[in-house]
Amino acid sequence: MKILENTQFELAAAMLQAHYESQPLAFVHSYGCQQNVSDGERLRGSLLRMGFGLTDDQNEADLILLNTCAVRETAEDRVWGHLGALKGLKRQRPELMIALCGCMTQREEVSERVRRSFPYVDLVFGTGAIHMLPQLICQRLSDKKPVFYSSDQPRVVEGLPIEREGSVKAWLPIMQGCDNFCSYCIVPYTRGREVSRAPEAVLAEAQEILAAGYREITLLGQNVNSYGKGLLEPIDFGGLIKRLDSLPGDWWLRFMTSHPKDCTEALIDTIARSRHVARHIHLPVQSGSNRMLKAMNRHYTVESYLALIDYARRTIPGVTFSSDIIVGFPGESEEDFAATLSLVERVGFNALFTFIYSKRNGTPAADLPDPIAYSEKSARMQRLLDTQSAIGARLNAAQIGKTLRVLTEGPGRSEDGTLMGRTEHNTIVEFTGGADLIGQFVEVTIERAQNWALFGRLAI
Ligand code: SAH
Ligand code: SF4
Ligand code: F3S
């Protein structure tokens, strides 16, 4: 673990003050998962500490920082599109600094493409170099030529300033990296080996978050169940949950992501006994076919997954589940896909995140023959979406008439004057109420249901 020193922020602040006539503004956009959003919050915090202001308008920014995601080709394409669109802006304002960080930059081929096709990019650095931002910006300002900084393994750096994006829900990273090497996945290559944060650091950050008035904390890690590996103090994820659960107040604790191979009955028992943990588990299954799970290197079976779900349902009354599914993994047959549909029916997830397989160079699955046509994969995806949409509608309709506890997050989407919040099962609820309820727990009686949300009125 490394503790950050303040001097680099002071040095950068002095340099920026000398360089810019007025306060420079930074635009930061994070693509990808919550882990990236959380990194983005630390980048924003660092920029503020250096003396930048933050802006949502890239046209007025002096620094545009894109925090990228490489998980699927579509994610990368969005970044390339964004970069392409910045060419005109850079031509108008050559002093604009364009920086690229996050998972894509960890890929050698990406740096090459940036050099070749986007020579107006000023700064490229990887996921393990977030704490280097002040030095890298200074280097770019003094060198007058693009800076490419590659670091090997990510490590945990404590003490970075954080500028969180919301005021009700907070992300709390408990580890970096991933050791699982699912055969389709680029993340272990972009984020390196697993490193856990010390429990004291996690606890201190949770205390800060709660003291600042947040009502929900989501612990983040690519596989939170393997938390604690390599730490001096013997502690596992259940142990961490127990410590966090002892923090006082009215708040919810969530975590993602749980890998089914490491999610134990002991952890389920801990959740059942906790005061703050929301009764909802995101447990990505990826496929309902044992043959595919083996090819994906997932190390569990459909039977063990279902046994875990059944155990959780017996132990935690009312618990709900969400999941991730990959459609069209190389070699997925109609029978394999039918098995996925039947698993989805059997579990009855209250939310499902579905992805068509995307080949990632450098992963083992990229070398597998993949004879299924994309049109067939899209058709399977549609069948999966239809199946899930019927399940979602059924589960939501069953809530009508119930009074549910809801954490109010902000304005609603459906009508002016409505608010939206979520239940502990992560289901969206819309209702009418004053803005003073934002950040509060309320009771809402459900009157109507759609696929994506429940609608109700405040219970008195
Ligand atoms: N560590 C988490 C999240 C990983 S990325 C986990 O293990 O669940 C989030 C999701 O993206 C994965 O669960 C998987 O469903 C999907 N995904 C990852 N790589 C993919 C690929 N190459 N093609 C399609 N989907 C992918
Ligand atoms: Fe990727 Fe698997 Fe690690 Fe999740 S557990 S990040 S899917 S390798
Ligand atoms: Fe994307 Fe990196 Fe997250 S590849 S999904 S931003 S860990």
Side-chain angles (χ1 to χ4, degrees):
M1 184 180 81
K2 183 177 184 305
I3 311 272
L4 200 78
E5 288 143 21
N6 274 322
T7 42
Q8 55 173 289
F9 289 111
E10 284 155 23
L11 289 172
M15 186 162 185
L16 290 174
Q17 230 172 16
H19 187 87
Y20 292 101
E21 280 163 17
S22 54
Q23 187 192 31
L25 296 176
F27 168 92
V28 181
H29 184 80
S30 291
Y31 290 89
C33 65
Q34 284 77 7
Q35 197 102 34
N36 240 27
V37 172
S38 169
D39 286 349
E41 293 180 336
R42 280 159 164 78
L43 291 163
R44 282 153 41 99
S46 301
L47 290 165
L48 286 175
R49 182 73 69 82
M50 276 179 253
F52 275 96
L54 296 174
T55 175
D56 292 332
D57 178 4
Q58 57 181 17
N59 293 311
E60 63 170 17
D62 300 282
L63 166 70
I64 294 180
L65 176 55
L66 305 185
N67 187 19
T68 62
C69 169
V71 77
R72 283 171 291 276
E73 198 176 354
T74 45
E76 292 197 339
D77 286 346
R78 272 193 283 275
V79 174
W80 295 126
H82 196 157
L83 268 186
L86 291 178
K87 189 173 185 175
L89 209 57
K90 181 80 175 185
R91 199 178 295 135
Q92 281 166 22
R93 295 198 286 121
E95 72 287 357
L96 165 68
M97 195 188 292
I98 297 177
L100 214 58
C101 64
C103 287
M104 266 172 86
T105 63
Q106 296 288 119
R107 283 153 65 72
E108 193 45 46
E109 63 197 71
V110 166
S111 291
E112 273 164 33
R113 182 160 168 195
V114 170
R115 284 179 214 267
R116 206 175 50 238
S117 309
F118 304 90
Y120 50 88
V121 170
D122 296 280
L123 172 58
V124 178
F125 61 99
T127 49
I130 282 176
H131 59 290
M132 301 280 294
L133 186 63
Q135 288 102 308
L136 293 170
I137 287 181
C138 291
Q139 192 183 333
R140 175 62 186 98
L141 288 178
S142 54
D143 274 11
K144 307 276 178 234
K145 65 174 195 305
V147 173
F148 286 77
Y149 182 83
S150 68
S151 51
D152 30 14
Q153 291 298 304
R155 53 182 172 171
V156 169
V157 179
E158 297 296 350
L160 280 175
I162 307 170
E163 176 67 10
R164 296 188 194 280
E165 287 195 352
S167 58
V168 181
K169 311 199 295 183
W171 308 115
L172 204 182
I174 61 168
M175 58 209 292
Q176 292 287 343
C178 182
D179 287 351
N180 290 299
F181 292 94
C182 302
S183 62
Y184 49 81
C185 185
I186 196 73
V187 173
Y189 309 90
T190 64
R191 286 196 170 256
R193 297 293 62 72
E194 249 170 54
V195 195
S196 292
R197 287 178 77 187
E200 299 73 36
V202 175
L203 220 67
E205 191 172 335
Q207 277 164 327
E208 259 168 49
I209 289 171
L210 295 174
Y214 289 88
R215 293 307 194 100
E216 182 177 300
I217 296 178
T218 303
L219 307 178
L220 297 178
Q222 296 301 342
N223 175 7
V224 289
N225 301 291
S226 58
Y227 172 81
K229 256 199 302 189
L231 288 176
L232 286 177
E233 185 184 341
I235 181 166
D236 63 4
F237 184 56
L240 184 71
I241 294 248
K242 278 186 206 148
R243 283 212 214 166
L244 290 165
D245 196 52
S246 68
L247 296 178
D250 199 3
W251 59 282
W252 276 338
L253 181 61
R254 300 184 188 275
F255 51 85
M256 65 192 301
T257 297
S258 275
H259 195 305
K261 82 177 161 63
D262 297 318
C263 183
T264 59
E265 292 189 353
L267 178 67
I268 304 281
D269 296 343
T270 302
I271 298 171
R273 281 196 292 267
S274 71
R275 285 192 305 149
H276 296 290
V277 180
R279 270 55 179 158
H280 174 82
I281 307 176
H282 182 58
L283 199 60
V285 67
Q286 312 299 357
S287 169
S289 149
N290 282 335
R291 203 173 69 85
M292 288 294 102
L293 289 176
K294 194 153 198 289
M296 289 174 169
N297 196 30
R298 291 289 287 180
H299 295 282
Y300 54 86
T301 62
V302 172
E303 293 72 25
S304 67
Y305 183 88
L306 291 175
L308 191 63
I309 297 267
D310 289 344
Y311 182 79
R313 285 205 160 123
R314 284 199 303 278
T315 317
I316 311 171
V319 69
T320 51
F321 301 92
S322 54
S323 204
D324 294 351
I325 297 223
I326 296 178
V327 173
F329 183 83
E332 182 191 69
S333 66
E334 172 57 30
E335 292 70 45
D336 295 318
F337 177 68
T340 296
L341 286 184
S342 96
L343 178 135
V344 166
E345 290 275 8
R346 158 86 155 75
V347 176
F349 297 108
N350 74 346
L352 204 56
F353 303 89
T354 52
F355 311 101
I356 291 185
Y357 169 74
S358 171
K359 177 175 163 176
R360 307 283 64 206
N361 286 340
T363 63
D367 300 328
L368 296 174
D370 189 6
I372 314 280
Y374 192 82
S375 55
E376 171 57 23
K377 295 187 181 192
S378 299
R380 286 181 190 169
M381 176 66 131
Q382 195 51 53
R383 286 160 65 197
L384 179 59
L385 291 175
D386 291 345
T387 303
Q388 179 57 29
S389 145
I391 294 168
R394 202 169 67 221
L395 292 176
N396 276 359
Q399 303 302 313
I400 295 173
K402 290 187 184 164
T403 296
L404 306 176
R405 190 153 196 261
V406 172
L407 174 57
T408 316
E409 291 180 13
R413 274 207 288 168
S414 55
E415 279 169 49
D416 281 356
T418 57
L419 295 173
M420 73 75 68
R422 283 171 199 266
T423 66
E424 68 175 321
H425 307 294
N426 234 344
T427 306
I428 295 174
V429 179
E430 296 225 352
F431 55 97
T432 308
D436 55 317
L437 295 178
I438 294 173
Q440 304 295 319
F441 286 102
V442 293
E443 301 282 326
V444 179
T445 305
I446 306 305
E447 297 174 317
R448 179 161 84 69
Q450 282 184 12
N451 265 352
W452 64 276
L454 303 171
F455 303 84
R457 66 183 152 73
L458 285 170
I460 315 146

